[in-house]
Amino acid sequence: MSTTIEPVVQSHKQTTKIPSATIRFAGDSGDGMQITGDQFTRTTALLGNDIATFPDYPAEIRAPKGTLAGVSAFQVHFSSEDIFTPGDQLDALVVMNPAALKTNLSDLRKGGILICNSDGFEKKDLELAGETENPLNSQVLEDQYQLFKVPMNKIVEIALKELKAAGMSTKEIDRCKNFFALGLVYWLYGRDMDATIRFLQAKFGNKPQIIEANTKALQAGWNYGETTDAFVSNYKIDPAHLPPGKYRDINGNQAMAWGLMTAAKLSDKELFLGSYPITPASDILHELAKFKNMGVRTFQAEDEIAAITSAIGAAYGGAMAITTSSGPGIALKGEAIGLAVMLEIPLLIINIQRGGPSTGLPTKTEQADLFQAIVGRNGECPLPVIAARGPGDCFYVAQEAWRISTRFMCPVMILSDGYIANGSEPWLIPSMKDLRKIPVTHAPEQIDGSKFLPYKRDEYLSRPWAIPGTKGLMHRIGGLEKQDVTGNVNYEPDNHQHMTNTRAQKVENVALEIGPQEVEGPESGDVLVLSWGGTYGACRTAVEACQGQGLKVAHAHLRWLNPFPSNLGDVLKNYKKVLIPELNMGQLRTFIRSKYLVDAIGFNKVKGRPFAIAELIAEIKRVLPK
Amino acid sequence: MANDIAPALTSADFASDQDVRWCPGCGDYSILAQMKKVMPQLGIPREKIVFISGIGCSSRFPYYMNTYGMHSIHGRAPAIATGLKCVRPDLQVWVVTGDGDGLSIGGNHFLHLMRRNVDLKILLFNNRIYGLTKGQYSPTSPLGKINKSAPMGVIDNPLNPLSVAIGAEATFVARSIDVNIKHLGEVLKRAAEHKGTAFVEIYQNCNIFNDGAFDYATDKVSKFDTTVELEHGKPLIFGKNKNKGIRLNGTEPEVVELGKGISEDDLLFHDEKAPEPTLAYLLSRMRHPEFPEPIGVFRAVDHPKYDVELNKQVETAREKKGPGDLDALFNSGETWTVG
């Protein structure tokens, strides 16, 4: 359903206009904070604000109730301006219990709004969070923040007493308190409730009591803000000046799935996904599994290795083949990636990075699989690597990767991360007719009896994609070294050197197709911030802030990590300092330093969290030449 | 059409231009020869046939067939073949593997191939040893076997490939022997014709690292007492003079002599189409020297095939929802307009 932007629900109270706000819902992992945040995001997107979100949740499905480890949070940054990150400091924080308060309070700016469900601060809740005193009674909170103690459980119970009389359980009623909190925040930021009510109706169509209960709780939250003396003012944020067009809200994994389906359509291929569930990549499998009518075949394999090898089989058969995983799964796929490199067949390998090593921080973000992507295999085994910079970009990255994979007949690795995958933003809806076709050809049948040469190369060094079922092309391929042109097994020293060189040159040739590196800001100056992947938004915002202060700082964001754009070396030399912020210990920096002999400076963090803009600004200023 | 081309093809048409590089005397030669002989009888054009293998001596097989082929990575051929068959149900796909490749490193994929019943054929060349890596014990090496990696003898209880396949719900299970060429040819043909995963264990002699492992079953004299040929609907009779049989004593098989009050009617009758795998399992447990080892088709039943069902779902979804429109998908749900 399409909405044009209309005035939001007006409060009778005083309304203050602000340019942007960052809010966070935090509670127990059973409190429904993700759904609350998601609803706030949708509603806010419909109002035309620019948005960026950051869901943050524990790895356990239901971590021990009320504990610090079980806190689940959802952050939304929304603005009347163009924004690129989910925000640093919070303007408002909603907490459902002491554990959520304890783990999130430090992110709330002084003077910010702090809404606490005071019913969640009973003696037992305090004990679970390791508190002896109730923090809500402390004068410090009152002094430093706009503290609102709201007995949400009690209010919801009263609001739903008729439903209770009709047989609804206390537990079910209690579970509606997140919608009360949502309603209150809707009032606070002048959002209307229609989209959420429509969501409830669609989701719980056959459970009218649940719809009614949550709708009433939502309304009760809104009314509470409107009528309670405690809240004297609410806020208004104008629609953002985004490029004109029709928008929707999209997260990274959804955009990736849609981008893959689009690439299949643009190349006139049917899509095969071989995948094994893993956080945070599984949602791509879930999304694609819905679209069998579009010729999408998803195969939930028995393990990661079967996931990629089934995709290799499908690619050999002529399909658009994909495998999706996260770092630990990519590790298992390593040998098969090598096979795909030797076979020289198109294949997309998608890594939604998470914190590592090993199982690491499965639900937290990191960009520490760059080494793994570029060199993490046995033998000389190069392949092109592309990284998405944000949720909506995943849609385009998927298409570009497939274009390169089919043009060069080689597997391509796509890097995304948990932050991009789960984060959402407004997405300017494209039209299929405006998207570039991806021409794919297969070797034609040979009926004259001539010998087919499976490794005969074109001007890009790409070999023909000859698929079984084609007359006259019968040939055998495999992981053993190939003789160039014939594809026969060959162990000759010079041939191995030649094939190694050829496979490397083929990947280098990708640079001919990807265009030069662009820079935002002055063409030369004091500092170049070089970034890749999901840190794009934070780096761009930080650099713009520095530029606004008159500093000679520029930003270059790498989309292709292998190969690098052909002019990158020249770009780097135009700045006195090169700063490479990464959510790893310096992986891109290592490649840049070794390849270009540039004394790049790293800014590195592995805390399972994205960069804050403020810390990047501080670092840029720190490295400025004196 | 397939049948128009088939008569023109001969065994020689299926030989590739590559030199066969197995050790002289290897049992693989015999299997290759039988495969090339069976192929023209199937009436399938060469370009519609694909051989996929993993790693090991057996896995060089695809290079020697003039069809499509892929020599892949250790143990993973079943998964590669599954992906291929899912997108190309028009192809006939064969997997060639060995006891190490298929049951050890590839054990997981082996199980899942069986239970999914993907419509492809898998041949397990069982020589009870690792040949390509020069003589380590394999998952089918017998207890106590002395070899390079078990100088004091194997202490790993061996797997019985047929029992594993049957346990994993395989719909076609058979066994043959490399040198029993007529039998092998027939079994390969039956496998080719089966709809669903066809699993064939082939006793194969590695004359370098495990020579004579199956002498009991191939020796001109002893084979009549050490093997029993399975025929659907027929009693289990064996022996040079067809004078011995297998009878069920409760749920246990026993060897009996015919005559002396025991007639054919008292014997166990083979039923390869039994819906329950109980009989096939029981037969797979009969091991030398207590019993003659059955060769032939243990089980051949019809069950839904993964690749067929997957493609059916695609068709059903298309019928119900239409071919799908990406523009409509992009514009679905909540949208808003700027400017």
Side-chain angles (χ1 to χ4, degrees), chain B residues 19-45:
Chain B
D19 294 334
V20 182
R21 291 196 184 158
W22 286 312
C23 305
C26 177
D28 291 354
Y29 285 98
S30 165
I31 306 172
L32 178 64
Q34 286 314 305
M35 183 60 81
K36 287 194 283 204
K37 209 165 167 183
V38 166
M39 281 282 135
Q41 302 170 27
L42 301 178
I44 300 171

Side-chain angles (χ1 to χ4, degrees), chain A residues 304-494:
Chain A
E304 295 282 2
I305 301 172
I308 185 170
T309 47
S310 64
I312 288 171
Y316 178 58
M320 178 191 180
I322 304 153
T323 189
T324 48
S325 192
S326 188
I330 299 295
L332 289 168
K333 295 179 200 288
E335 185 192 10
I337 296 173
L339 175 66
V341 166
M342 289 296 264
L343 296 179
E344 303 193 35
I345 50 164
L347 173 71
L348 298 184
I349 303 147
I350 301 176
N351 179 358
I352 313 296
Q353 299 164 95
R354 62 193 218 178
S358 187
T359 309
L361 308 177
T363 61
K364 310 292 178 186
T365 204
E366 202 164 278
Q367 47 178 184
D369 294 347
L370 186 62
F371 281 166
Q372 182 190 37
I374 295 181
V375 294
R377 289 168 293 283
N378 70 299
E380 290 287 335
C381 191
L383 50 72
V385 178
I386 187 172
R389 71 182 196 187
D393 189 40
C394 292
F395 179 78
Y396 297 99
V397 159
Q399 292 166 60
E400 189 170 349
W402 182 236
R403 184 187 310 282
I404 294 297
S405 186
T406 50
R407 185 66 198 85
F408 290 84
M409 286 292 284
C410 59
V412 172
M413 175 116 37
I414 299 177
L415 296 176
S416 171
D417 61 48
Y419 169 73
I420 293 173
N422 292 321
S424 50
E425 65 182 10
W427 185 57
L428 181 61
I429 298 172
S431 174
M432 285 300 288
K433 67 175 167 27
D434 300 332
L435 299 171
R436 234 172 105 199
K437 290 263 180 222
I438 302 173
V440 173
T441 53
H442 292 293
E445 59 178 38
Q446 287 182 191
I447 46 173
D448 61 357
S450 57
K451 187 170 165 52
F452 173 63
L453 299 169
Y455 280 72
K456 194 176 171 188
R457 300 176 185 282
D458 69 7
E459 70 275 23
Y460 289 93
L461 301 179
S462 179
R463 78 176 190 90
W465 191 1
I467 56 174
T470 318
K471 273 186 191 168
L473 306 189
M474 280 79 74
H475 65 285
R476 275 66 55 192
I477 53 177
L480 288 173
E481 184 60 285
K482 298 285 157 303
Q483 185 177 50
D484 206 4
V485 185
T486 68
N488 291 337
V489 173
N490 189 296
Y491 300 124
E492 288 164 20
D494 287 347

Side-chain angles (χ1 to χ4, degrees), chain A residues 30 37 47 69 135 141 194 201 225 228 241 246 257 322 391 412 429 526 577:
Chain A
L47 290 175
L141 284 186
D194 291 355
Q201 285 164 348
T228 312
H241 297 287
K246 198 170 167 191
I322 304 153
V412 172
I429 298 172
D526 290 334
K577 296 281 177 79

Side-chain angles (χ1 to χ4, degrees), chain B residues 74-151:
Chain B
H74 212 7
R76 319 301 173 190
I80 293 175
T82 297
L84 175 61
K85 191 71 189 172
C86 284
V87 300
R88 295 295 304 277
D90 59 313
L91 302 173
Q92 188 183 59
V93 181
W94 293 77
V95 170
V96 178
T97 184
D99 42 317
D101 187 63
L103 298 175
S104 197
I105 190 166
N108 190 25
H109 311 305
F110 181 85
L111 286 180
H112 291 280
L113 176 60
M114 300 295 151
R115 61 120 175 160
R116 288 191 184 109
N117 197 32
V118 183
D119 186 19
L120 50 81
K121 329 293 154 204
I122 176 164
L123 307 183
L124 183 108
F125 295 12
N126 184 5
N127 56 20
R128 295 187 176 162
I129 202 77
Y130 282 9
L132 195 69
T133 51
K134 301 187 179 177
Q136 300 84 3
Y137 61 94
S138 91
T140 56
S141 296
L143 282 171
K145 172 87 180 168
I146 305 280
N147 57 68
K148 269 190 192 156
S149 55

Side-chain angles (χ1 to χ4, degrees), chain A residues 1-3 5 45-46 48 195 198 242-249 258 261-262 265 270 272 290-295 297-303 305-306 309-310 312-314 316-317 319 335-336 339 343 395 426-427 429-432 451 467-471 473-480 488-489 491, chain B residues 5 16-18 21 46-52 55 60 62-74 76 79-88 90-91 105 108-110 112-113 115-116 306 310-311 313-315 317-318 321-327 329-339:
Chain A
M1 142 175 349
S2 185
T3 311
I5 297 156
L46 291 175
R198 285 199 300 272
L242 297 172
K246 198 170 167 191
Y247 284 79
R248 65 174 297 134
D249 173 36
W258 290 11
M261 290 197 293
T262 300
K265 184 81 180 168
E270 297 216 327
F272 177 90
K290 295 178 193 165
F291 297 103
K292 289 217 166 63
N293 64 319
M294 298 202 195
R297 288 162 180 79
T298 53
F299 174 65
Q300 184 176 312
E302 56 271 22
D303 63 23
I305 301 172
T309 47
S310 64
I312 288 171
Y316 178 58
E335 185 192 10
L339 175 66
L343 296 179
F395 179 78
W427 185 57
I429 298 172
S431 174
M432 285 300 288
K451 187 170 165 52
I467 56 174
T470 318
K471 273 186 191 168
L473 306 189
M474 280 79 74
H475 65 285
R476 275 66 55 192
I477 53 177
L480 288 173
N488 291 337
V489 173
Y491 300 124
Chain B
I5 298 167
S16 78
D17 61 353
Q18 301 295 298
R21 291 196 184 158
R46 282 183 304 163
E47 66 268 15
K48 291 279 190 185
I49 298 168
V50 184
F51 280 87
I52 296 183
I55 297 292
R60 302 297 174 97
Y63 291 125
Y64 310 136
M65 295 293 299
N66 191 6
T67 61
Y68 282 89
M70 189 197 295
H71 174 223
S72 72
I73 49 176
H74 212 7
R76 319 301 173 190
I80 293 175
T82 297
L84 175 61
K85 191 71 189 172
C86 284
V87 300
R88 295 295 304 277
D90 59 313
L91 302 173
I105 190 166
N108 190 25
H109 311 305
F110 181 85
H112 291 280
L113 176 60
R115 61 120 175 160
R116 288 191 184 109
Y306 182 88
L310 176 65
N311 285 289
Q313 284 193 344
V314 170
E315 289 316 309
R318 278 183 173 141
K321 300 182 189 170
D325 175 348
L326 285 164
D327 282 315
L329 175 66
F330 302 157
N331 286 280
S332 64
E334 307 271 6
T335 62
W336 69 96
T337 306
V338 172

